Amino acid sequence: MGILKQKVFKVILHVMVWMGVFVLVDLSLPVPFTKIPHEFHIKLFLSILVASGIYYLNVYLLIPRLLFRKKVGAYILTLFIVIGSVYVVNLSISHAIDFDQTFKKLDKYFEEHEDYEEEDDKEDVPTMIAVFAVILGVISSFASQHYKREEERKKIEQDRIEAELAFLKNQVNPHLFFNTLNNIYALIQIDQEKARKTVLQLSQIMRYVLYDSDNPKVYLKHELDFMREYIGLMKIRLNEKSKIVLDIEDDIDQYIYLPPLIFIAFVENAFKHGVNNDGIANIQVAIYQVGQDLYLNVDNTKGVNKEKGGVGLANVRKRLQLIYDADDYHISINDTDEQYMVELRIKV
């Protein structure tokens, strides 16, 4: 909804509220509508017009400049002056349209009915409407201020989370790039032609990391394609005896959304810690879906580097905490002397 449409809607809504007040006061009289003198409708309309003026004066001027600035005494004094002025105005209106005669006509109707009870506060109706406008103004102003503060708090929190997520993802990019360059450096000494092809393959991978994954969420299909490319790149420097398995469930929904570069940190960790002195690795990666839950299982035997996972895993844990509620994801790790197994569940 555009700004202009919002303003028009707001004006229409306010008009309908004041019309509703007019109708409610009319309906509150135990008199058929046709028996109500037209002078009463005129007085009621003018009283509501004055009350609406008090409301907007209160909401847009007195409350923001006095009450919200903790000038309570000045606010109350000004409000008494305004209400006193309104009372004088209402008396002037009553005199101008001979409102006493209007009530005499109503009293005549009441006296003809047994259920009529004499009321002495009819003249106070305009003042009651004015007081209602003041109370409504205070309530709506405080409610509006609370809503704005809550929205500002949410916006600040959202900006903080987005900035932190961007920082964490930017940490993942060079970390991934650094590890891959190490592999290419090792490959140059073995097969320079293959190393050149690997550089081209790396550029395609980094294009996804730096540009395509810039969105808050991406299709699972794109993440899986990226994972295949990455695993293919990592396998180049491994011994042929290595066993690298990527098992993706056939009927998985590849067009569900998930945060980019969430899975790759676990796969990268397996290659970093799962290669022995002979360049042999045993890594199994399985991705499957159960209902609304998406699972990633990574299982690798430990190689030369048996240190715990570094910045990659730490970052992905922090990103998951920022993106998902505690019940919407779960990480399970089984870390033994010879094997490392991790399971990630994400609700999609």
Side-chain angles (χ1 to χ4, degrees), residues 110-125:
F110 291 146
E111 289 169 357
E112 296 173 356
H113 294 75
E114 295 179 357
D115 58 349
Y116 166 69
E117 294 182 3
E118 183 71 31
E119 295 185 13
D120 299 323
D121 59 347
K122 301 186 191 72
E123 283 289 353
D124 292 335
V125 171

Side-chain angles (χ1 to χ4, degrees), residues 24-280:
L24 284 174
V25 174
D26 248 357
L27 293 177
S28 67
L29 291 176
V31 184
F33 184 80
T34 54
K35 297 291 185 179
I36 300 176
H38 71 277
E39 293 92 349
F40 180 83
H41 293 301
I42 295 173
K43 176 64 182 295
L44 179 59
F45 174 78
L46 293 175
S47 297
I48 291 177
L49 196 63
V50 171
S52 65
I54 294 176
Y55 172 84
Y56 295 113
L57 176 68
N58 198 26
V59 168
Y60 292 107
L61 185 63
L62 301 184
I63 292 177
R65 296 193 178 185
L66 297 178
L67 191 57
F68 284 167
R69 295 181 181 180
K70 303 187 184 301
K71 299 178 180 179
V72 180
Y75 173 74
I76 294 175
L77 177 61
T78 305
L79 208 54
F80 270 119
I81 293 173
V82 170
I83 293 177
S85 301
V86 169
Y87 183 76
V88 173
V89 170
N90 281 327
L91 288 179
S92 300
I93 294 173
S94 298
H95 180 73
I97 62 174
D98 197 7
F99 207 54
D100 289 337
Q101 293 299 320
T102 300
F103 277 122
K104 287 179 181 179
K105 294 178 182 179
L106 290 174
D107 289 342
K108 184 178 180 182
Y109 173 84
F110 291 146
E111 289 169 357
E112 296 173 356
H113 294 75
E114 295 179 357
D115 58 349
Y116 166 69
E117 294 182 3
E118 183 71 31
E119 295 185 13
D120 299 323
D121 59 347
K122 301 186 191 72
E123 283 289 353
D124 292 335
V125 171
T127 305
M128 291 171 61
I129 295 175
V131 172
F132 164 77
V134 171
I135 296 173
L136 180 63
V138 172
I139 293 174
S140 63
S141 294
F142 274 96
S144 177
Q145 186 190 49
H146 175 75
Y147 174 78
K148 287 179 180 178
R149 286 180 176 176
E150 186 65 18
E151 287 297 306
E152 288 174 357
R153 187 193 64 78
K154 289 180 180 179
K155 180 67 167 57
I156 292 172
E157 180 65 14
Q158 184 65 28
D159 289 344
R160 183 192 68 80
I161 291 175
E162 290 178 359
E164 191 167 352
L165 284 172
F167 173 74
L168 291 172
K169 196 167 75 171
N170 287 337
Q171 280 187 308
V172 171
N173 295 345
H175 182 253
L176 181 65
F177 190 57
F178 176 76
N179 288 342
T180 309
L181 282 178
N182 281 340
N183 292 340
I184 294 176
Y185 176 77
L187 187 61
I188 289 175
Q189 302 178 41
I190 303 171
D191 189 336
Q192 292 186 5
E193 181 61 30
K194 185 177 289 188
R196 282 194 290 269
K197 293 180 180 179
T198 304
V199 170
L200 179 60
Q201 190 175 8
L202 174 62
S203 69
Q204 294 173 342
I205 289 177
M206 295 311 298
R207 183 178 294 110
Y208 176 78
V209 172
L210 296 174
Y211 301 109
D212 297 344
S213 67
D214 198 39
N215 296 315
K217 291 191 176 183
V218 296
Y219 284 132
L220 173 62
K221 179 181 186 304
H222 297 158
E223 283 289 293
L224 295 179
D225 291 342
F226 170 69
M227 188 178 297
R228 292 187 185 98
E229 291 289 337
Y230 178 81
I231 291 176
L233 186 62
M234 294 297 102
K235 287 170 64 176
I236 292 175
R237 63 181 283 261
L238 296 179
N239 191 299
E240 292 180 356
K241 295 181 180 179
S242 296
K243 184 180 179 181
I244 311 298
V245 178
L246 175 60
D247 183 15
I248 300 174
E249 188 179 58
D250 291 336
D251 58 350
I252 195 171
D253 184 1
Q254 297 197 26
Y255 290 95
I256 57 180
Y257 282 106
L258 77 162
L261 306 177
I262 286 292
F263 286 169
I264 198 63
F266 299 99
V267 177
E268 180 193 13
N269 187 70
F271 279 99
K272 180 180 179 182
H273 300 281
V275 182
N276 64 20
N277 287 323
D278 298 323
I280 300 174

Side-chain angles (χ1 to χ4, degrees), residues 220 249 251-254 256 288-295 345-348:
L220 173 62
E249 188 179 58
D251 58 350
I252 195 171
D253 184 1
Q254 297 197 26
I256 57 180
Y288 57 95
Q289 185 176 358
V290 180
Q292 296 298 313
D293 292 327
L294 184 66
Y295 287 86
R345 174 186 62 82
I346 298 177
K347 186 175 291 294
V348 294

